Amino acid sequence: MGSIRFQNVDKVFGASQAGVKVLDDINLAIGEKEFVAIVGPSGCGKTTCLRMVAGFEAPSSGTITVSGKVVTEPGPDRAVVFQQFALFPWKTVRENIDLGLRNKNLPAAERDRLIADALKLMNLESHAGAFPHQLSGGMQQRVAIARAYVLDPDVLLMDEPFGALDAQTRVVMQEELVRLARVNPRTVLFITHAVEEAVYLADRVAIMTRRPGRIKEVLDIKSVRIAENWDRFARIEDVMDQESFVHLRTQIWKSLREEKGAQGV
Amino acid sequence: MIGRRGLIGLGTVAGVIALWFALTTLTGIVSGARFPSPSEFWASLVQIWTRGYAGGQLLTHALHSLKLVVMGFLVAIATGIPLGLWMGWSRRAEAAINPVFLVIRPIPPLAWIPLAILWLGLGDAAKIMVIWFSAFVPSVINTFAGVRNIDRPILEAARMLGTPRWRMVTEIIAPAASPLIFTGLRLSLQASWTTLVAAELVGAMVGVGFVLNMAQQDLYPAMILVGMITVGILGWATTFALARVERQALAWNVAARD
């Protein structure tokens, strides 16, 4: 349960002959409870990769499997956290989290328990009755994460989830996500253009080329994190000071810069 | 409590009445045969309120008109909102229904009155039908636009959560489209009054439009003014009631705009 596999995935937007090829032969396997971040220049198709796993779009060729099953449509086994939160503004925090549970036809008592857990996990207990517009961006994204976690999904798909947040909130949320990954590890596919964020959060970072996007290289972060014991630091800035962190970050930057250079930017 | 804006509004009303008095009773610039003086207006109002005019007292006429508007409006939105939701949701439904709309839409609602009277006579049914036709279109079109304007991530989030089809309509599509749906309802309500008064002018035995028609035949400008102001007050009251409902229903949205 909880693996993601891209096999020879191409994606063409528009009619197949005249269309624009955005993804070219993507192959990537994400193991159970592994956290993989995809970084790449803008327009490289990284978000499209996530949208295909979510079932919002279909590959033009090749297959995507989640937990061994071919993805054909969206479903609660693949929870998505969107950059723009995508909360339902007419529902309270509690109702937003509850919808997925009601769709699963769970009994009320069990839903109450799961919602209480999710609210506690994301420190939202005092906001259960609030509407999304009454919350800050960071709080809204907490609700979206709670809404995803409560489904107990096989995989968690996060599409630049902190991209719409201010810098301070962003750091708090990144630390929060690391904490979550420790108490409740999940298979995560995380899309970002922020290199530090990818290195800080991910077990592996996949770097994509410019369009048509291919997987250029995949860097192992986890072994470095364990060898250098980054987990002894509570704060992201302390991790980011480590030479091993700086080294990985620079490596990814250089790789991305090559792509921009190739683009003539 | 009357706020500053309320006071300004009251001042305007008082000014208009003073000007009215000045132009008619005081100076006689406007003759009573064309436009009534305030005292003539008041006398007509007392007449229709107590003894009645055109076969009934003011309250009878007003309540009858109000009843028809409310019924026609309710029929129109009960059919228009579902159709708009369906057209917004299904490209196929839109493709099927839109051509019919393109032909029917330019027909002024009032042009249905002769056919309605021919089919259903001078009674209530004909008027409800005409109101339905006129109030239906804004409801459908705005509901349709409301559905089409829903942010894609909202729909994707609902699908990702495994929301079944019917719940998708009632809990996601309809509330997400509701700000524009209410815009449609306001336009529908306006159209309902316009159409009703016109229909009652053409053929009716009771109602505010009938009062206006009789007063015209009796060359009775003061009573015409009473009828017009009654329509104005009734229209304002229903608009106000709808605005209250809207504020309740869209509390999540109104607060977001503040």
Side-chain angles (χ1 to χ4, degrees), chain B residues 133-218:
Chain B
F133 283 177
S134 64
F136 180 70
V137 173
S139 287
V140 174
I141 293 188
N142 284 281
T143 304
F144 169 76
V147 175
R148 282 295 157 86
N149 281 331
I150 298 172
D151 286 339
R152 191 174 67 171
I154 292 274
L155 296 175
E156 288 178 344
R159 288 172 67 205
M160 170 274 282
L161 294 169
T163 312
R165 186 172 275 265
W166 180 246
R167 184 170 287 164
M168 194 79 177
V169 174
T170 57
E171 291 193 33
I172 307 296
I173 309 264
S178 56
L180 264 178
I181 292 178
F182 271 102
T183 303
L185 295 192
R186 279 199 301 273
L187 295 171
S188 286
L189 185 60
Q190 227 173 327
S192 299
W193 277 110
T194 310
T195 315
L196 173 83
V197 173
E200 284 182 343
L201 276 173
V202 175
M205 310 306 286
V206 61
V208 181
F210 180 60
V211 170
L212 285 168
N213 191 18
M214 291 304 285
Q216 182 213 333
Q217 285 175 25
D218 292 347

Side-chain angles (χ1 to χ4, degrees), chain A residues 115-187:
Chain A
I115 295 169
D117 288 350
L119 289 170
K120 187 154 186 275
L121 186 71
M122 296 310 297
N123 294 319
L124 287 165
E125 288 121 312
S126 54
H127 300 283
F131 285 101
H133 72 258
Q134 295 168 314
L135 304 176
S136 65
M139 292 304 271
Q140 291 190 46
Q141 197 57 302
R142 280 168 194 269
V143 177
I145 294 171
R147 181 176 72 176
Y149 254 87
V150 82
L151 296 168
D152 192 25
D154 289 354
V155 302
L156 203 53
L157 307 172
M158 307 184 91
D159 184 11
E160 301 198 30
F162 309 141
L165 305 179
D166 63 78
Q168 283 85 13
T169 310
R170 193 176 175 129
V171 167
V172 173
M173 292 302 289
Q174 286 162 347
E175 290 173 355
E176 192 87 344
L177 199 57
V178 165
R179 176 181 70 79
L180 267 181
R182 282 182 199 156
V183 290
N184 195 342
R186 292 280 155 183
T187 309

Side-chain angles (χ1 to χ4, degrees), chain A:
Chain A
M1 292 298 275
S3 61
I4 303 172
R5 195 177 177 91
F6 292 77
Q7 280 175 294
N8 311 110
V9 171
D10 288 355
K11 180 68 183 177
V12 179
F13 280 127
S16 49
Q17 268 101 46
V20 182
K21 190 167 201 177
V22 289
L23 291 171
D24 180 21
D25 196 30
I26 301 292
N27 286 282
L28 182 66
I30 302 171
E32 190 172 334
K33 304 224 192 305
E34 191 181 20
F35 194 127
V36 171
I38 298 181
V39 297
S42 51
C44 74
K46 52 191 190 292
T47 288
T48 306
C49 287
L50 178 138
R51 292 177 55 79
M52 290 190 300
V53 179
F56 299 145
E57 276 162 40
S60 301
S61 66
T63 52
I64 294 171
T65 52
V66 170
S67 311
K69 282 188 300 184
V70 176
V71 172
T72 55
E73 58 175 2
D77 57 324
R78 284 153 289 131
V80 183
V81 176
F82 298 83
Q83 181 177 5
Q84 297 300 338
F85 322 140
L87 299 174
F88 308 118
W90 53 90
K91 288 182 184 288
T92 62
V93 167
R94 187 190 176 78
E95 289 165 346
N96 265 279
I97 298 172
D98 195 19
L99 180 63
L101 301 175
R102 286 168 56 222
N103 292 342
K104 286 185 171 185
N105 293 315
L106 296 180
E110 191 179 350
R111 278 168 28 217
D112 284 348
R113 185 177 59 76
L114 289 170
I115 295 169
D117 288 350
L119 289 170
K120 187 154 186 275
L121 186 71
M122 296 310 297
N123 294 319
L124 287 165
E125 288 121 312
S126 54
H127 300 283
F131 285 101
H133 72 258
Q134 295 168 314
L135 304 176
S136 65
M139 292 304 271
Q140 291 190 46
Q141 197 57 302
R142 280 168 194 269
V143 177
I145 294 171
R147 181 176 72 176
Y149 254 87
V150 82
L151 296 168
D152 192 25
D154 289 354
V155 302
L156 203 53
L157 307 172
M158 307 184 91
D159 184 11
E160 301 198 30
F162 309 141
L165 305 179
D166 63 78
Q168 283 85 13
T169 310
R170 193 176 175 129
V171 167
V172 173
M173 292 302 289
Q174 286 162 347
E175 290 173 355
E176 192 87 344
L177 199 57
V178 165
R179 176 181 70 79
L180 267 181
R182 282 182 199 156
V183 290
N184 195 342
R186 292 280 155 183
T187 309
V188 181
L189 176 60
F190 190 99
I191 307 297
T192 183
H193 58 254
V195 173
E196 282 91 350
E197 181 171 88
V199 176
Y200 179 65
L201 294 171
D203 296 327
R204 285 190 296 152
V205 174
I207 304 168
M208 286 183 68
T209 66
R210 70 200 169 88
R211 183 188 290 175
R214 276 174 284 108
I215 304 274
K216 186 180 181 185
E217 55 184 317
V218 181
L219 289 169
D220 181 12
I221 311 289
K222 189 178 186 181
S223 61
V224 179
R225 174 187 297 125
I226 292 169
E228 299 285 325
N229 195 17
W230 290 352
D231 288 356
R232 71 196 133 115
F233 301 110
R235 291 165 186 278
I236 188 167
E237 60 267 31
D238 295 331
V239 178
M240 282 168 62
D241 272 348
Q242 296 302 297
E243 204 179 316
S244 50
F245 186 100
V246 173
H247 179 73
L248 281 166
R249 188 188 63 188
T250 308
Q251 200 177 341
I252 295 171
W253 265 121
K254 280 182 177 160
S255 188
L256 286 172
R257 195 182 287 279
E258 281 171 22
E259 290 309 312
K260 293 206 167 155
Q263 214 172 8
V265 175

Side-chain angles (χ1 to χ4, degrees), chain B residues 24 29-37 40 219-222 224-225:
Chain B
T24 52
I29 293 172
V30 179
S31 89
R34 294 189 186 280
F35 202 80
S37 67
E40 286 170 319
L219 306 177
Y220 192 175
I224 293 178
L225 192 62

